[in-house]
Amino acid sequence: GLELAQGARVIAAAAGLLRGSGYTAFDRHVPRDAEHAALASTYAHTTAPLRRLVDRYVGETCIAVSEGRKVPGWVASELPKLPDVMELADRKAGQYEAGIVSTLEAALLEGSVGRTFEAVVIEVDREGGAGSVQLRDPAVTARCDGQGLALGETVTVRLELADVLQRQVRFALA
């Protein structure tokens, strides 16, 4: 229980470090906000899964700079627009991914409504009447209703809802 609780707290905290990252376009002068918050230093990247649009423009920029020529106009004109385009794409990809995970979690637990599970509290709402829990087995994260949830605490929860069509799983303190 304690090992799971500590691991779940670390995973939840680590995931929060990278939230809010984004893209910044610039020409010649590095902007003041180019520091990567989680790394606490200047950082830049272009290649990552599902970010090939950015790669296309940055690659053309790098080729032009390395050859000592001007960045092509079609690239230079679009670079300032890319942060907004990529933010929208990242948001859509995140929603899609979360929907898939939620659907699979609901399908996995569909036949277990009413059953109890051991879980670790990984998030607590400010009001104190609900939060999120991480099950040990199966590895599912979901909302949980119940007064007195304490972050990192191992609790017994009862599955109240596992609806595949709504992509929802919900627990309550047992």
Side-chain angles (χ1 to χ4, degrees):
L2 180 60
E3 189 176 297
L4 174 65
Q6 290 171 339
R9 284 193 312 230
V10 169
I11 289 169
L17 286 175
L18 299 176
R19 286 194 183 125
S21 63
Y23 297 89
T24 302
F26 59 93
D27 184 11
R28 291 184 184 82
H29 304 290
V30 178
R32 287 191 331 223
D33 63 349
E35 186 172 281
H36 190 288
L39 299 176
S41 69
T42 302
Y43 172 80
H45 85 279
T46 60
T47 302
L50 301 177
R51 289 173 177 75
R52 301 300 177 229
L53 177 64
V54 170
D55 291 348
R56 177 75 174 114
Y57 290 91
V58 173
E60 289 292 334
T61 301
C62 291
I63 291 169
V65 169
S66 70
E67 293 177 349
R69 58 182 174 83
K70 282 185 77 169
V71 173
W74 66 270
V75 174
S77 68
E78 294 300 313
L79 278 176
K81 302 173 190 172
L82 284 180
D84 290 339
V85 171
M86 293 310 300
E87 181 182 335
L88 177 62
D90 286 348
R91 196 171 337 127
K92 294 247 184 230
Q95 291 169 346
Y96 181 72
E97 184 178 308
I100 290 171
V101 169
S102 296
T103 300
L104 291 174
E105 288 176 335
L108 186 63
L109 293 170
E110 193 172 35
S112 299
V113 173
R115 189 173 149 213
T116 59
F117 298 85
E118 182 179 304
V120 174
V121 180
I122 59 169
E123 183 180 16
V124 177
D125 291 351
R126 289 183 187 174
E127 298 81 30
S132 295
V133 295
Q134 171 71 53
L135 300 187
R136 175 188 300 270
D137 186 28
V140 170
T141 301
R143 298 292 297 158
C144 181
D145 295 320
Q147 290 294 326
L149 290 173
L151 191 61
E153 178 181 33
T154 299
V155 294
T156 301
V157 295
R158 182 180 51 261
L159 181 60
E160 299 289 318
L161 174 71
D163 188 314
V164 175
L165 293 178
Q166 292 182 29
R167 299 186 306 266
Q168 289 186 352
V169 173
R170 194 155 187 106
F171 292 95
L173 282 176

